[in-house]
Amino acid sequence: MPRRKTPKIPDELLDRLLAGADPKTAFDANGLLDDLKKALAERALNAEMNHHLGSGEPGNSRNGYGRKTVTTDTGKLALDIPRDRQASFDPQLIAKYQRRFPGFDEKIISMYARGMSTREIVGHLRDLYGIDVSPDLISAVTDAVLEEIAAWQARPLEPVYPLVFFDALRVKIRDEGLVRNKAVHVALGVRADGTKEILGLWLEQNEGAKFWLRVMNELRNRGVEDVLLAVVDGLKGFPEAITAVFPDAMVQTCIVHLLRHSLDFVSYKDRKAVAAELKSIYRAVDADAGAAALTAFEEGAWGAKYPAIGQSWRRAWPEVIPFYGFAADVRRILYTTNAIEALNSKLRRAVRARGHFPTDEAAMKLLFLVLNRAEKEWTMPAREWCMAKAQFAVLFGERFTRAMA
């Protein structure tokens, strides 16, 4: 396909535009570029008025101009807005009660999604563009995201997801005068073609079986009929909740989270040696070999020194067993909730500078925007997915075939 050429502005036109103007001031506030933006906006508004008069009520006509000052991404712009005698003209470019130029709100939301606080955005706009806006304006712009969150959280989902990862991170939120730790739960689904989709985002102070049962029922009500394999981060009450709603689902614990939990019991100087010893458990060829390796660890020197490690693996063992049913290439996908941990790292970077959020809604706005940006970056499935897909087809049979339909 031939490459499309970028349109070129003739030099003669540029010379006419610059005639009588100092080229050095072209990019200044109220300089040439702002003049061009004003002229193009007013030209578009007049074209809209012509169309309105041509297709509107008979007898209507122009009635001069009204002056409106709008905020743009480079400063304030005074526009002459055409009026009609019947006062029925509502332009699309700048609506009647709109005070911000198209694209300005998107820039605010983009800065907010990158973790900038409301007051940081105010300072950024002042320093870069000389625009003074109030923190209330920033909040009003970002509050529009709440409606989008509600629609996104209620959208229909796929009938079958071969893989669903569940994880949580903690954020600080002011509640009744106190700053409390609340858990933000994220569900990441993997479709049969390997593409990823964030299924939902939930904020809860206390997690447990009742909470997860509500989440599972919400997924069911949004159209999910089957989950083949769920990978979880030792979430309390989750295995019982998911099998109550999706009885055929296989539940597997996140191996990396289990390792991290194990090393929490270990002194710093011993961690490297203990981590190396634990490899024999999760790298075993099958579940029986893994169980034998766990017994050997418990009976060895490190298991005797840190008995809590063996106990934590024993408690999680029913959710570790599914891991051994896959080849090494597929285990790399299931080994950890890496995909969701990458999301969590983006979320943590965004919330780290905040300290705490004033409300649940403020936290949800930021987290949703961060997740939305991350989801747009996903273009390709994991390279191990072809192997995983073949094994899923054998392991789950018609249930996986249905996901492919």
Side-chain angles (χ1 to χ4, degrees), residues 262-279:
S262 299
L263 295 177
D264 284 343
F265 300 108
V266 180
S267 64
Y268 182 78
K269 64 183 180 62
D270 293 338
R271 285 190 175 185
K272 188 173 182 180
V274 172
E277 194 76 15
L278 290 171
K279 287 181 181 179

Side-chain angles (χ1 to χ4, degrees), residues 84-209:
D84 63 329
R85 295 196 178 278
Q86 296 179 0
S88 57
F89 178 53
D90 188 8
Q92 298 297 308
L93 179 64
I94 300 290
K96 277 187 177 179
Y97 303 105
Q98 186 176 343
R99 290 288 176 181
R100 297 183 296 278
F101 209 71
F104 184 76
D105 288 6
E106 286 77 5
K107 283 183 169 57
I108 289 177
I109 289 173
S110 177
M111 286 186 279
Y112 194 87
R114 283 169 168 79
M116 294 178 67
S117 70
T118 296
R119 296 194 179 278
E120 285 173 339
I121 295 173
V122 170
H124 181 78
L125 292 173
R126 182 186 299 117
D127 294 344
L128 250 61
Y129 305 121
I131 304 171
D132 282 314
V133 297
S134 68
D136 290 341
L137 170 63
I138 306 300
S139 296
V141 170
T142 56
D143 278 348
V145 175
L146 293 174
E147 293 183 9
E148 189 178 347
I149 293 173
W152 174 79
Q153 193 75 8
R155 77 196 188 281
L157 299 174
E158 298 284 330
V160 181
Y161 287 93
L163 261 178
V164 180
F165 296 96
F166 292 91
D167 204 359
L169 75 157
R170 294 279 171 177
V171 295
K172 296 181 183 297
I173 300 176
R174 183 168 290 279
D175 185 9
E176 297 179 350
L178 299 174
V179 176
R180 305 179 189 274
N181 277 323
K182 294 190 178 183
V184 177
H185 304 278
V186 183
L188 173 66
V190 180
R191 303 186 190 96
D193 62 359
T195 56
K196 294 175 288 188
E197 175 188 6
I198 299 167
L199 306 185
L201 183 67
W202 298 270
L203 197 153
E204 189 80 5
Q205 187 169 345
N206 299 306
E207 60 190 52

